Amino acid sequence: MKKKIRSALISVSDKSNLKTLLKILKKNKIKLISSGGTFNEIRKLNFKCLEVSSFTGTNEILEGRVKTLHPKIHAGILSKRNNKKHLKDLKKNNFENIDLVIVNFYPFEETLKKTKNHNKIIENIDIGGPAMVRAAAKNFNDVTVITSCNQYQDLIFELEKNNGATSLNFRKTMSQIAFAETAYYDSLIADYF
């Protein structure tokens, strides 16, 4: 079952190879939503993008600790597209679906290698990223999740092959990788503590 991608939320620590990806998203008229440094990078590369705070109507708070932890984001990712109650809830709240989540986490492992400063280490524990990735991976039936710039070429190939859509098999594979990624990330944090 193929799913057309109409909107994408992009929030990446590793901003390499973004331009190639953004070109295919633009070609397929996919609405881009992003925050912080990723939003600035997308704009710098001359692509249209809606800032998360404009999308949600809520500013980033707590020095950037809270950006994407918002019902409009998570409802858009978690809604089952063929569930009438979900569609009704989205409509009632003036929310919309998010079909593609591209997130890679704060570099916790690299931070551990570079510093022993506990406060710096703590601030490199990503909360919003893994929450969005887990939501998208859970809802793989309707949402595509990408957790690494190494997967961009696979996504590009998938979108080109399917005219801006992704196959269930692709979404399921990406979901499995995403859950492995969050498990590994959490294990690093647990080991640190």
Side-chain angles (χ1 to χ4, degrees):
M1 175 177 45
K2 291 182 182 149
K3 292 282 179 172
K4 187 91 170 144
I5 293 178
R6 292 183 172 81
S7 63
L9 196 148
I10 308 172
S11 180
V12 291
S13 274
D14 181 350
K15 294 168 182 54
S16 54
N17 303 323
L18 259 181
K19 192 168 190 170
T20 314
L21 177 68
L22 293 170
K23 282 181 184 175
I24 189 81
L25 299 180
K26 182 180 178 179
K27 180 182 165 191
N28 285 285
K29 297 177 177 61
I30 295 169
K31 174 182 180 174
L32 305 181
I33 306 158
S34 189
S35 66
T38 307
F39 171 78
N40 293 332
E41 185 65 21
I42 291 170
R43 294 299 299 261
K44 202 164 77 179
L45 292 169
N46 291 317
F47 290 89
K48 273 189 189 170
C49 186
L50 184 62
E51 199 162 11
V52 162
S53 55
S54 298
F55 179 73
T56 61
T58 306
N59 291 329
E60 278 184 27
I61 59 170
L62 308 179
E63 300 175 271
R65 277 185 162 201
V66 178
K67 299 185 269 272
T68 57
L69 296 167
H70 191 282
K72 189 168 186 176
I73 301 283
H74 288 275
I77 297 169
L78 284 165
S79 71
K80 293 179 183 176
R81 305 323 195 240
N82 61 356
N83 182 312
K84 285 188 170 93
K85 286 181 182 174
H86 287 207
L87 296 173
K88 191 175 167 187
D89 280 345
L90 287 183
K91 191 172 183 164
K92 185 175 106 183
N93 288 286
N94 198 27
F95 291 174
E96 60 190 79
N97 289 323
I98 296 170
D99 308 308
L100 172 61
V101 173
I102 301 171
V103 170
N104 53 60
F105 308 147
Y106 294 167
F108 185 78
E109 194 168 20
E110 289 74 28
T111 303
L112 287 178
K113 291 174 189 171
K114 290 180 190 168
T115 185
K116 298 284 177 236
N117 180 321
H118 181 71
N119 291 333
K120 204 171 248 177
I121 291 167
I122 292 298
E123 289 311 313
N124 274 282
I125 295 175
D126 199 327
I127 304 299
M132 289 187 293
V133 164
R134 288 176 61 83
K138 175 180 179 170
N139 202 21
F140 70 87
N141 198 57
D142 296 306
V143 179
T144 305
V145 62
I146 300 294
T147 55
S148 164
C149 52
N150 298 331
Q151 298 165 345
Y152 291 175
Q153 278 311 124
D154 294 337
L155 175 64
I156 290 166
F157 177 75
E158 185 75 6
L159 291 172
E160 285 179 338
K161 184 174 78 175
N162 298 303
N163 295 319
T166 58
S167 65
L168 180 60
N169 194 42
F170 179 78
R171 292 190 305 276
K172 196 171 186 178
T173 300
M174 293 297 106
S175 171
Q176 183 208 355
I177 293 167
F179 278 122
E181 185 78 24
T182 58
Y184 176 70
Y185 193 75
D186 283 342
S187 74
L188 290 172
I189 296 165
D191 287 348
Y192 169 72
F193 281 105

